Amino acid sequence: QVQLVESGGELVQAGGSLRISCAASGRTFEIYRMGWFRQAPGKEREFVARISWPDSSTVYADSVKGRFTISRDVANNMLYLQMNSLKSDDAATYYCAASKSRTGRYDFWGQGTQVTVSS
């Protein structure tokens, strides 16, 4: 099993920046891919970004491309999402996810961290 714990969500002004984190523990050696998803009230969960290894290739949703950066700290089993130029549409609960495969479903999910954007 892999445990994921997100942190860092808070209230931020539109146009501002925020970095959220995800700490992974347990059988982290089984993970090949991690991602960030988000869900706003009344909306479906949507993909934000993902990073795969060993090449650290990244993919972003069009809505965040150029504003968000996903990264990881291998030594400390941490995943980050740097969010810049935040918009009201970015307000959501952000979830960290991990996959034991390079494609397909994500096997493990965190509990989420809330990001609120004030206009």
Side-chain angles (χ1 to χ4, degrees), residues 9-118:
E10 63 181 51
L11 172 65
V12 62
Q13 284 191 329
S17 297
L18 184 68
R19 189 179 80 161
I20 57 177
S21 304
C22 173
S25 61
R27 299 173 65 88
T28 56
F29 59 88
E30 294 184 333
I31 300 173
Y32 284 100
R33 178 166 53 105
M34 293 187 74
W36 287 100
F37 292 77
R38 67 186 182 186
Q39 187 169 20
K43 295 186 178 181
E44 293 188 353
R45 185 173 61 193
E46 64 175 356
F47 167 79
V48 175
R50 69 107 167 117
I51 185 167
S52 302
W53 44 94
D55 60 356
S56 293
S57 61
T58 57
V59 175
Y60 295 92
D62 288 342
S63 59
V64 307
K65 202 172 294 183
R67 300 188 297 121
F68 290 11
T69 302
I70 187 172
S71 63
R72 66 187 185 111
D73 178 345
V74 177
N76 294 299
N77 289 318
M78 294 293 296
L79 182 73
Y80 302 104
L81 186 68
Q82 176 67 42
M83 303 182 287
N84 299 328
S85 302
L86 281 161
K87 307 174 182 178
S88 58
D89 288 348
D90 296 319
T93 299
Y94 283 72
Y95 297 91
C96 171
S99 175
K100 296 191 290 185
S101 64
R102 292 185 173 87
T103 60
R105 70 172 189 175
Y106 285 83
D107 302 287
F108 308 104
W109 293 84
Q111 84 291 345
T113 187
Q114 187 164 358
V115 174
T116 305
V117 182
S118 65

